[in-house]
Amino acid sequence: MAVEGTTGRVTRRRVRTRANLLDAAFSVFAAKGFGHVSIEEVCEAAGYSRGAFYSNFSSLDELFFALYRERADLIAEQVAGALALDGPGLDVPAAVDRVTDVLLLDRDWLLVKTDFLVHAARDPEVARSLLEHRARLRQAIADRLARARGHTALPAVLGDTDGAAHAVVAAYDGVTTQLLLDRDVEHARAWLKQLLTALLTDGSGTPDHRQN
């Protein structure tokens, strides 16, 4: 029993250490950018030794991907949860409101995400992993739109539900890129709502938008 208790404490401590390293790395990466950060800087920010780092991650690349995966999974869960609240049909404007209200629109995250995209573009293996995670987000959207077929019509120009899901993710990418430059979260959220409503419906009933 004593061994089991000790093992449990060690496991909890390791989980806590890993989480603290990820949080510290997020702050350092957002401030300085991936490629300009050392393992020592992450350890110093988290208050741990290099030994603690290497007991959880083999490299900064591994930590960086774990950080991306954590946020990407959160976004996929947010989207899936918001889209699951309707019945068989889909009230598109209401669903868009819910999705854009919960979506992670954090500039620090966007800085880290952009660094990761650039890193992945130069590394085919990392790119494959990133594409898998982006596909999960699109699949969550496509699955919900597919369940609403027969109850909710999508614009024919989008083709099928997979095409609609690609359009939704592309709109999110575009709006978040603008957010990186103008730092206007309120505008980004409002603009994303209008874009998604226009994409998934005939666009009627949407408010006037500010020009970029």
Side-chain angles (χ1 to χ4, degrees):
M1 293 295 291
V3 172
E4 290 177 0
T6 301
T7 301
R9 287 195 297 274
V10 170
T11 300
R12 287 193 295 272
R13 184 164 63 246
R14 181 165 184 172
V15 168
R16 185 168 59 249
T17 298
R18 180 183 174 88
N20 289 340
L21 284 166
L22 287 170
D23 288 343
F26 178 82
S27 298
V28 177
F29 285 145
K32 301 186 68 173
F34 185 74
H36 301 281
V37 173
S38 67
I39 290 174
E40 288 77 9
E41 287 174 296
V42 172
C43 292
E44 182 179 354
Y48 292 118
S49 66
R50 286 175 62 92
F53 179 93
Y54 284 115
S55 71
N56 288 276
F57 304 102
S58 63
S59 65
L60 277 178
D61 278 10
E62 183 183 338
L63 181 150
F64 197 32
F65 186 71
L67 191 63
Y68 181 87
R69 183 171 58 234
E70 184 179 77
R71 270 28 179 221
D73 288 348
L74 172 62
I75 290 173
E77 289 169 6
Q78 288 173 332
V79 169
L83 291 176
L85 295 177
D86 284 320
L90 184 65
D91 182 340
V92 171
V96 166
D97 280 348
R98 290 197 303 271
V99 168
T100 51
D101 282 342
V102 302
L103 263 179
L104 190 63
L105 285 177
D106 175 74
R107 192 169 180 275
D108 283 348
W109 156 241
L110 295 175
L111 287 168
V112 173
K113 172 188 169 185
T114 301
D115 276 345
F116 192 79
L117 287 170
V118 173
H119 178 55
R122 294 190 172 99
D123 187 323
E125 185 175 348
V126 177
R128 282 193 294 273
S129 296
L130 177 57
L131 286 170
E132 289 173 3
H133 284 278
R134 287 173 65 82
R136 283 189 56 199
L137 176 60
R138 287 198 308 271
Q139 194 60 51
I141 298 169
D143 286 349
R144 183 60 190 93
L145 294 175
R147 291 198 302 275
R149 294 192 78 171
H151 302 273
T152 304
L154 292 173
V157 69
L158 295 177
D160 55 14
T161 54
D162 189 55
H166 273 81
V168 168
V169 174
Y172 174 74
D173 286 342
V175 168
T176 54
T177 298
Q178 180 72 21
L179 174 58
L180 277 174
L181 301 176
D182 64 21
R183 302 169 182 252
D184 190 341
V185 176
E186 183 179 352
H187 178 210
R189 222 174 270 285
W191 182 236
L192 184 58
K193 285 183 180 183
Q194 179 161 354
L195 278 178
L196 295 184
T197 301
L199 275 171
L200 299 176
T201 68
D202 61 5
S204 63
T206 58
D208 292 337
H209 64 272
R210 292 164 45 189
Q211 296 296 321
N212 287 331

